[in-house]
Amino acid sequence: MLNFSVLGALQICAGDEAVEICGDLERVLVQTLLVSEGRPIPAETLAEEMWGDHAPDNQANALQAHVSRVRRRLRALEPERRQQRLVLRPSGYWLTVESGELDAVRFTEGVKAAAATMAEGPEAASKLLREVLALWRGEVFGALPAGPICQLAAARYEEIRLRAMELLFDAELALGRHDAILVELTEAHIGNPLRERFCKHLMLALYRAGRQADALEIYRRMWRRLSEELGVQPSRELRGLEHAILSHDTALAPAGDVTGVLRSA
């Protein structure tokens, strides 16, 4: 079994042994096949992903040369494997990836499972989300420039990562851990200043920590940013949270602590 990792710079490992995919073109080749998640990629599409508008005159031969080098490197990790991982089929090139071998698939499946687990209890959801978020080692593909297939995949994985963080903060706040996640929330809000759900999470955590003025200041900054950059107002939900903070609504207290927020406000 191999371990393919794209949530960061490309890595391919068999146990403690890793294979180096040399050259940006070969890395893009492997990454494109990986994010296809079982779908064959036509040679023309692969070439466009690798070279864009600057494909060599002998494009077919050049592509085949890169494919051959990747095959040799994969074979070095699995010398006992009978069939090639990377094959050419009538519909295009195909890279065999078994269940559990690609970190991006494990991540997306883990986020779905955590979302379903939230209804049963936030503790289990929080644990699972932290496990799958730990799969990320950096920017998808290590920010290696590539074509539209890899760009769309990177954007999709990044959006799922942000949704996973939102679910994680939902779970942690439901468990009353507002103090423990304040740093994480602040970083998430600063890094994604137009994402209202992070703003909501941070406002609630600050309020529960006895920092009503800071929570309201976060809202005012968000209001100005949305107005100036997008020409819109905060959502009804965010406006409602501001009103609840101003009125010391007891519904903002963590579960099982109706008076805690009032004491700290």
Side-chain angles (χ1 to χ4, degrees), residues 205-219:
L206 287 168
Y207 180 68
R208 286 181 175 177
R211 298 168 58 182
Q212 180 190 24
D214 291 336
L216 293 172
E217 178 59 23
I218 291 293
Y219 175 81

Side-chain angles (χ1 to χ4, degrees), residues 142-159:
L144 176 67
I149 293 177
C150 288
Q151 291 173 11
L152 286 173
R156 182 172 74 253
Y157 296 145
E158 175 62 18
E159 177 60 28

Side-chain angles (χ1 to χ4, degrees), residues 85-104:
R85 283 264 184 177
L86 178 51
V87 298
L88 177 60
R89 297 185 171 182
S91 52
Y93 284 95
W94 171 292
L95 178 62
T96 299
V97 180
E98 309 293 350
S99 176
E101 288 189 327
L102 180 59
D103 61 348

Side-chain angles (χ1 to χ4, degrees), residues 195-216:
R195 204 167 181 97
E196 288 197 21
R197 200 162 164 191
F198 287 151
C199 179
K200 174 191 171 185
H201 288 141
L202 182 56
M203 288 171 63
L204 181 57
L206 287 168
Y207 180 68
R208 286 181 175 177
R211 298 168 58 182
Q212 180 190 24
D214 291 336
L216 293 172

Side-chain angles (χ1 to χ4, degrees), residues 133-151:
L133 282 166
L135 293 172
W136 284 72
R137 298 171 290 107
E139 194 169 349
V140 180
F141 310 134
L144 176 67
I149 293 177
C150 288
Q151 291 173 11

Side-chain angles (χ1 to χ4, degrees), residues 154-203:
R156 182 172 74 253
Y157 296 145
E158 175 62 18
E159 177 60 28
I160 296 172
R161 184 183 73 88
L162 293 174
R163 291 207 303 268
M165 292 172 64
E166 290 173 342
L167 283 171
L168 174 63
F169 296 145
D170 283 341
E172 297 285 41
L173 288 169
L175 293 165
R177 297 171 181 167
H178 43 275
D179 286 320
I181 62 171
L182 266 175
V183 173
E184 290 177 276
L185 278 175
T186 301
E187 291 176 350
H189 176 60
I190 291 174
N192 304 272
L194 296 178
R195 204 167 181 97
E196 288 197 21
R197 200 162 164 191
F198 287 151
C199 179
K200 174 191 171 185
H201 288 141
L202 182 56
M203 288 171 63

